[in-house]
Each structure stands twice: as structure tokens, then as C-alpha cells.
Amino acid sequence: MKIVITGATGAIGGALARAYAKDGHCLILQGRKADQLSVLSDECTALGGTVSLVSFDLADLEQTRRWCDALLLDGVPDLVFANAGMNINTGADQSGEQWQQMDALLDLNVKSTLMLVHHMALAMKHQGSGQLVLMSSLAAYYGLPVTPTYSASKAALKAYAEGIRGGLAPHNVGVTVVMPGYVSSQMCHEMPGPKPFMWPPEKAARIIKQGVAKNRARISFPFPLNFGCWWLAVLPAAISQRIVKWLDYG
């Protein structure tokens, strides 16, 4: 099986790559940090996988478009993880996000992800097989005051994945949205606020892999954090805002 993983140098991306390498799959790994990609490639090869690497910044949308076209020249992938992403916050002094950072986040988290998924979805639909996995977040359920743009970007991915799943299902193309809570990583530790029920990336990858194999519409974890975040979305806004403030998220 040919598997594409973007953001492979991140904690979840790397853990997913190693998890699938154990099964001997052909992995196409994308990331910005060539040195870290090389180390990951060696690990995956040692585990039994076949690996090819591509190192560039997905926020460069023109280069991302060219890469999408190049991917399809070698055949349609069986499974694509749109995993790359970044986070920003309002700052230690709550001075607010900077537009330049917001713009860069939206290019990476939303535009490049939708571009990749759109290209692959059309090809998979024509072929009549394939699976797409979009990496959202529990922050998609309710916007956190300390990370409003990140929350908005992940909500966009959740809605898009839900939107295309029904249209692609008759063509034997699966779509899954993954909504993790806190997974130990540099990006996670740099986020402000408490981080309850944090998982190691290997555990997250195992749960994701199991859910993807079942073509689940949504994979969210860990319980009870996912249940609590869902309630934030359905409770009256005044109550949710009080809860978020009480939990020290802004």
C-alpha cells in the first residue's frame, strides 16, 4: 500500500510513519526539516518499510500544487494523511496574535491541506478507491481564547472532511477526520494552558491506525476530554465561556 504522510517530522506524523512501516508499506514522507526526515527514513526502513522523502514547506502553495501533480504521476496513493500543521497563540501577555503569523497558519493548516485533499480526492474518485485522513483537533469543537486562529483552522478541516465524506463514499473513497487532544510534542508543550490527559504519540498513532482501518468518520481522543470538548460546543455560549475561563484557557 502506498501511503502519503505530510508533516512527518512532527510527533504524530513520525509515529504514524513508524506504525505503518512495520507492515512493510511504501511511505512517501513530507516535512520541512530534511535532517529529521532522513533519520525517520532510516527508522522506517529498519522496520521494514519502503520510504521516499520530499522536503519543502507546504505553506508555499505553488510548490504544494506542483507536488500534488507529481504525486499523481506515479499513481494514486492508497492512503493520504494530511497531517502537517502549526500553532500560534495570543502570547504570554495576551497581547494577541500577529496577522503575519495568522496568515502563515492559514496557508499551512487550511489552504495547503485542502489543496492536497482536493487533488487526491478527485484522483481517488476517478480510480474508485482510496482513503483520506485529515488531522483536526478537539479545539475544532470550541474556539479557545488563547489559540483562536488554530481553533478556527481545525474547525475548517473538520467541516471539510465531514462535507466530502458523503460525496466520496459512493465511489469507494473513505474520509476520516482525526481530532486529537494533547499529544506530547514540541508544538503541544509550547501551547499555553493546562494539558490534561496527554498521550504519547505512539499511543495516538495506534488509535488512529485502528480507526482508519475501519474507515471511521471521526477519531477523537482521549476520553473524557473529547466528551467535555463536545459539550462546550452544545452548551449555551455563556456557560461554555465560563468553563473555558475557569479551566485557565483564556
Side-chain angles (χ1 to χ4, degrees):
M1 186 162 65
K2 183 190 295 186
I3 302 172
V4 175
I5 304 175
T6 66
T9 52
I12 294 178
L16 284 169
R18 289 185 289 270
Y20 282 100
K22 293 177 183 177
D23 298 330
H25 294 301
C26 175
L27 305 177
I28 302 172
L29 306 179
Q30 180 278 334
R32 290 185 297 112
K33 302 173 182 177
D35 53 344
Q36 293 185 22
L37 270 181
S38 179
V39 171
L40 179 61
S41 175
D42 291 342
E43 293 174 345
C44 291
T45 301
L47 289 168
T50 302
V51 183
S52 61
L53 306 176
V54 56
S55 180
F56 73 100
D57 187 352
L58 284 166
D60 182 338
L61 299 178
E62 179 55 31
Q63 190 168 3
T64 296
R65 184 192 62 76
R66 292 196 299 268
W67 180 56
C68 290
D69 292 338
L71 275 175
L72 297 175
L73 289 176
D74 293 328
V76 182
D78 301 290
L79 175 59
V80 175
F81 284 92
N83 170 73
M86 62 178 288
N87 196 359
I88 60 175
N89 58 73
T90 54
D93 59 355
Q94 298 295 300
S95 59
E97 298 173 325
Q98 303 300 310
W99 173 249
Q100 186 175 6
Q101 292 180 321
M102 294 167 64
D103 194 31
L105 183 147
L106 293 172
D107 278 347
L108 178 60
N109 289 17
V110 181
K111 291 183 180 179
S112 74
T113 299
L114 266 58
M115 181 182 289
L116 171 65
V117 172
H118 174 70
H119 275 71
M120 298 301 112
L122 291 179
M124 289 177 176
K125 180 179 178 180
H126 179 74
Q127 178 176 264
S129 65
Q131 189 167 8
L132 300 161
V133 183
L134 287 75
M135 193 65 62
S136 180
S137 166
L138 290 181
Y141 277 132
Y142 189 87
L144 298 178
V146 292
T147 55
T149 305
Y150 174 80
S151 300
S153 72
K154 295 304 184 179
L157 298 187
K158 173 180 177 291
Y160 186 74
E162 292 167 345
I164 65 173
R165 180 179 168 89
L168 291 172
H171 303 278
N172 197 36
V173 178
V175 180
T176 296
V177 61
V178 181
M179 301 176 66
Y182 295 106
V183 176
S184 182
S185 66
Q186 180 179 346
M187 186 172 80
C188 175
H189 294 302
E190 289 175 350
M191 287 179 63
K195 301 169 181 65
F197 309 106
M198 184 181 294
W199 279 13
E202 293 75 19
K203 182 177 181 179
R206 184 174 70 252
I207 296 301
I208 293 169
K209 186 180 176 185
Q210 291 172 356
V212 167
K214 298 175 182 177
N215 188 28
R216 288 180 54 186
R218 180 188 302 161
I219 303 170
S220 61
F221 55 84
F223 186 86
L225 188 62
N226 53 352
F227 186 60
C229 290
W230 177 84
W231 269 108
L232 288 176
V234 299
L235 286 170
I239 296 176
S240 296
Q241 288 167 5
R242 288 178 188 172
I243 293 173
V244 168
K245 186 174 181 62
W246 176 66
L247 292 173
D248 198 28
Y249 286 107

